[in-house]
Amino acid sequence: MEPITLTTERLLLRTFTAEDTEAVYQSCQDPDIQRWTTVPSPYERQHAVEFTEHMVPDGWSNSTMCTFAVLPRGGGPLMASVAVTLRTFSGTWEIGFWTGKEHRGRGVMAESVAAVSHWAFMRLGATRLEWRAEVGNKGSRAVAEKAGFRIEGELRAALLNKGTLRDVWIGSLLPSDLGLTSAHPYLPSGT
């Protein structure tokens, strides 16, 4: 798949390039990003190079991970990252994200997640988007809920982060939650 660009009222979402390496490196020095996401810790320059020059382009080329750099629509610095990763060949994708410290609390990530979610249903044919975050990551949960994800529960030992298994919250978003149709009919339990 060729990388694409999405726009929202305030934001430009495009693929990462080698020119973003320094901004990624600087953003991932944030202790909260290192604590709550699976980025390496300590986060070294080589990790940013691997991300921008290999992981992101490889994910797009093999259609298993579509990663977007989030920037102001009118130009400006890197604000965040959001990606959808294929989890099952039945159409389940997982969404993950981080936001630079100075850009939190302004709705940037909820706006980005909403745009990427809509795109994933329309372009990727996703039948379900899952969001997962370590229990206690209240910021990530607030973004997921604001973007319409339904919190489904807690999974024990479902995330290996920095050598330790951790419990996670899990939520989902379905095409019907956004007023979209799915490629497959959905029969909720109890019906």
Side-chain angles (χ1 to χ4, degrees):
M1 173 182 305
E2 288 296 316
I4 59 102
T5 298
L6 303 174
T7 56
T8 69
E9 183 177 326
R10 301 181 300 157
L11 306 171
L12 172 75
L13 289 81
R14 60 153 173 82
T15 191
F16 281 92
T17 68
E19 289 77 32
D20 298 310
T21 301
E22 181 63 22
V24 169
Y25 172 71
Q26 291 300 325
S27 292
C28 290
Q29 296 309 301
D30 178 5
D32 287 335
I33 290 176
Q34 290 186 28
R35 165 62 182 93
W36 293 111
T37 73
T38 58
V39 302
S41 182
Y43 195 85
E44 300 173 358
R45 192 166 308 284
Q46 69 190 28
H47 297 123
V49 170
E50 173 63 25
F51 177 74
T52 60
E53 296 183 26
H54 300 287
M55 182 184 290
V56 170
D58 290 351
W60 280 102
S61 70
N62 63 31
S63 302
T64 58
M65 185 173 68
C66 305
T67 307
F68 296 88
V70 179
L71 303 113
R73 188 169 178 171
L78 175 69
M79 301 169 81
S81 173
V82 60
V84 287
T85 305
L86 183 63
R87 291 297 177 217
T88 70
F89 290 102
S90 64
T92 298
W93 291 73
E94 182 176 335
I95 196 160
F97 46 84
W98 55 257
T99 307
K101 187 174 193 160
E102 62 275 17
H103 303 290
R104 293 182 192 141
R106 299 183 357 218
V108 167
M109 189 47 64
E111 189 173 329
S112 300
V113 167
V116 171
S117 296
H118 189 272
W119 174 79
F121 291 130
M122 297 301 291
R123 174 67 174 85
L124 299 177
T127 57
R128 173 183 165 91
L129 283 177
E130 289 184 348
W131 158 85
R132 294 172 185 232
E134 184 179 337
V135 171
N137 189 344
K138 294 177 184 176
S140 183
R141 183 172 176 152
V143 166
E145 290 177 327
K146 188 172 183 181
F149 281 74
R150 180 182 296 179
I151 307 304
E152 296 177 329
E154 203 172 291
L155 303 174
R156 297 182 311 146
L159 174 68
L160 182 61
N161 190 359
K162 298 163 188 66
T164 302
L165 288 170
R166 301 168 190 266
D167 295 345
V168 299
W169 287 319
I170 185 168
S172 71
L173 188 68
L174 303 178
S176 57
D177 296 334
L178 301 180
L180 304 172
T181 58
S182 178
H184 305 285
Y186 168 49
L187 182 63
S189 63
T191 56

